[in-house]
Amino acid sequence: MTTATRTPAAIDTAALRELTKDGSGPRLLDVRTPGEFHTVHIPGAYNVPLDTLREHRVELLRHLDEDTVLICRSGARAAQAEQALADAGLPNLRVLQGGMVAWEAAGGPVTRGAARWELERQVRLIAGSIVLVSGLAGLAVPGLHLIGTAVGAGLTFAAVTNTCAMGMLLAKLPYNRGPRTDINSVIPALKSQP
C-alpha cells in the first residue's frame, strides 16, 4: 500500500517575524542537531533534535499545540518532524519555509554561538573528497573509481528520498553533537510557556 506524501503547512519568514516581534507568538521547535542549534538559532526556540523528537513525541504532544512552528536548516527535517508529530496525533503544525537559511537571509534576529560547518557543507566535503580520491586512485587501480559511483548513487538516493545517511552519520560525531539536548529540561520549559 502506498501512502500519499502530504505537504505540511508552512509559514514564511515575514509572517513568523511579525508573530514573534513582541516576544510572544508560537512555540518554536528547532529540530537540528545541538551543534547546529548552538551555532545559530532564533531567540526563544527550543532545541529538540529530530531523533529526540521522534523518540519522545508522545511526551511532547502533551505540551504542544497547533501554535507551534518547526525549524531546521532548510525545511526538510522540520517537515519530517511535522509528519512524526502528525502521525502521533498533533496535526496542523507549521514549518518555517526555507528554515534558518531563509530566516538569516531575511535578516531575522538570531542568537549566535561558536561557528561550525553546517552538516550539508560537511557532506559535500566528504562526498567530494571520496569521489576525487577514488577517481584519481582509479587511474592506478582499475575499478577503484566505482567507489565514487557508489557515492554518487547515494547522493542521488538522498535527494530523491529527502534523507541523507552520510549527514545522519556525521551528525553523530562529537563535533556536531554539541551539548546534549535533555528532554527532561525541554518539557518543563514547554509547560511554562503560555
Side-chain angles (χ1 to χ4, degrees):
M1 182 172 116
T2 305
T3 58
T5 304
R6 59 183 191 74
T7 304
I11 184 169
D12 65 25
T13 56
L16 185 58
R17 254 181 115 165
E18 185 64 30
L19 289 172
T20 59
K21 72 180 178 182
D22 64 356
S24 63
R27 282 189 175 92
L28 305 175
L29 284 189
D30 192 318
V31 300
R32 296 175 299 152
T33 65
E36 291 174 290
F37 178 81
H38 287 285
T39 298
V40 62
H41 63 270
I42 299 173
Y46 299 97
N47 183 222
V48 182
L50 183 57
D51 289 342
T52 303
L53 180 138
R54 285 179 175 147
E55 183 181 341
H56 297 280
R57 63 186 172 186
V58 173
E59 296 166 68
L60 288 166
L61 284 179
R62 295 183 215 128
H63 309 290
L64 297 176
D65 55 30
E66 292 177 1
D67 197 21
T68 299
V69 175
L70 300 164
I71 303 161
C72 68
R73 181 184 180 282
S74 63
R77 283 178 279 176
Q80 292 174 31
E82 189 276 341
Q83 181 66 54
L85 290 169
D87 290 347
L90 185 60
N92 305 321
L93 298 175
R94 293 172 287 176
V95 170
L96 177 60
Q97 202 170 41
M100 286 300 298
V101 171
W103 182 262
E104 287 188 275
V110 296
T111 300
R112 291 197 184 277
R116 300 171 198 252
W117 278 23
E118 295 174 351
L119 279 175
E120 183 179 311
R121 185 176 181 190
Q122 293 175 51
V123 167
R124 289 192 309 254
L125 173 69
I126 300 298
S129 297
I130 291 171
V131 170
L132 176 64
V133 169
S134 68
L136 292 174
L139 296 173
V141 180
L144 202 56
H145 70 284
L146 294 176
I147 293 172
T149 303
V151 170
L155 292 173
T156 302
F157 179 79
V160 170
T161 62
N162 204 20
T163 62
C164 184
M166 188 181 295
M168 289 185 278
L169 288 173
L170 289 171
K172 295 182 184 316
L173 293 176
Y175 171 81
N176 290 317
R177 280 190 262 156
R180 185 162 160 73
T181 299
D182 179 15
I183 196 70
N184 294 321
S185 64
V186 171
I187 289 178
L190 290 171
K191 284 181 191 177
S192 68
Q193 185 180 4

